[in-house]
Amino acid sequence: MTSRWQFNNRKVGKETRQSTSDEELLYLLGICQWVFNSNCGFIIEMIDKEHHDNSNKPWHTLIELTAGQLKDYENKITEIMGDDIYNLFDKLVTKRNSIIHSLPTGEKVDDYVIPIYRNDSKGINIKIDKEYLREFIKKNEELSDLIYKFRGY
């Protein structure tokens, strides 16, 4: 059974025959990815601005980095944007990895929400549910606010 949610006159669920979760969870997953990628883009923009002034490496090397590889620029991000931005970004990368690398269980509960889980580095299962996703979105909003403040907006 697939979900049949209207979105811009399209029904979600027609794209696949695979079983999916409810519409709200799918929607929240999409927002999570969008806001996280947006924040990564702004962090890359700030590094890139500094990069152009002080490097002869091609600019596109930064946009080819994964979020995990971007974390390796800790000193540069901290130097340019400060500890608060880097520390929150670091936590969000870990949470984002839990979301992206989680697996649906096939267990159907809560009006057909399929819980998804991620086993963390300590062997603890993390349930990726709607509240987890909403908290992730909220923390990305906080990061966005810090970045906007840094950028002078």
Side-chain angles (χ1 to χ4, degrees), residues 6-40:
Q6 287 289 125
F7 184 75
N8 288 341
N9 296 322
R10 293 178 62 200
K11 291 189 183 248
V12 174
K14 288 222 175 225
E15 286 79 13
T16 183
R17 291 185 322 269
Q18 291 180 285
S19 180
T20 59
S21 188
D22 74 337
E23 297 86 11
E24 184 181 14
L25 187 78
L26 296 175
Y27 177 72
L28 290 171
L29 283 167
I31 292 173
C32 286
Q33 190 63 39
W34 187 271
V35 296
F36 180 80
N37 286 352
S38 177
N39 283 334
C40 282

Side-chain angles (χ1 to χ4, degrees), residues 18-148:
Q18 291 180 285
S19 180
T20 59
S21 188
D22 74 337
E23 297 86 11
E24 184 181 14
L25 187 78
L26 296 175
Y27 177 72
L28 290 171
L29 283 167
I31 292 173
C32 286
Q33 190 63 39
W34 187 271
V35 296
F36 180 80
N37 286 352
S38 177
N39 283 334
C40 282
F42 285 125
I43 288 172
I44 288 170
E45 179 185 313
M46 294 298 100
I47 295 172
D48 187 48
K49 184 178 179 202
E50 180 77 15
H51 174 82
H52 277 305
D53 295 338
N54 299 311
S55 177
N56 59 0
K57 291 183 183 176
W59 68 271
H60 60 82
T61 57
L62 291 171
I63 61 172
E64 294 171 353
L65 297 175
T66 65
Q69 292 168 326
L70 191 55
K71 277 179 43 174
D72 293 340
Y73 281 74
E74 175 182 0
N75 292 339
K76 182 63 78 179
I77 295 169
T78 301
E79 174 189 326
I80 297 169
M81 302 178 80
D83 289 329
D84 290 343
I85 289 175
Y86 179 80
N87 291 335
L88 184 50
F89 174 68
D90 181 48
K91 290 176 186 169
L92 287 170
V93 168
T94 301
K95 285 186 170 286
R96 180 257 183 202
N97 287 344
S98 292
I99 294 167
I100 294 300
H101 299 292
S102 62
L103 298 171
T105 64
E107 167 191 352
K108 297 174 185 175
V109 296
D110 298 334
D111 297 325
Y112 201 63
V113 173
I114 301 173
I116 48 182
Y117 294 91
R118 174 70 180 158
N119 196 343
D120 75 358
S121 61
K122 298 177 182 131
I124 298 170
N125 282 329
I126 301 169
K127 185 175 182 179
I128 312 296
D129 58 9
K130 292 175 187 178
E131 288 309 310
Y132 188 95
L133 299 177
R134 285 186 188 103
E135 181 63 24
F136 181 78
I137 293 165
K138 180 181 173 187
K139 290 295 184 186
N140 268 281
E141 187 75 20
E142 290 174 21
L143 180 58
S144 178
D145 290 346
L146 288 172
I147 292 169
Y148 269 75

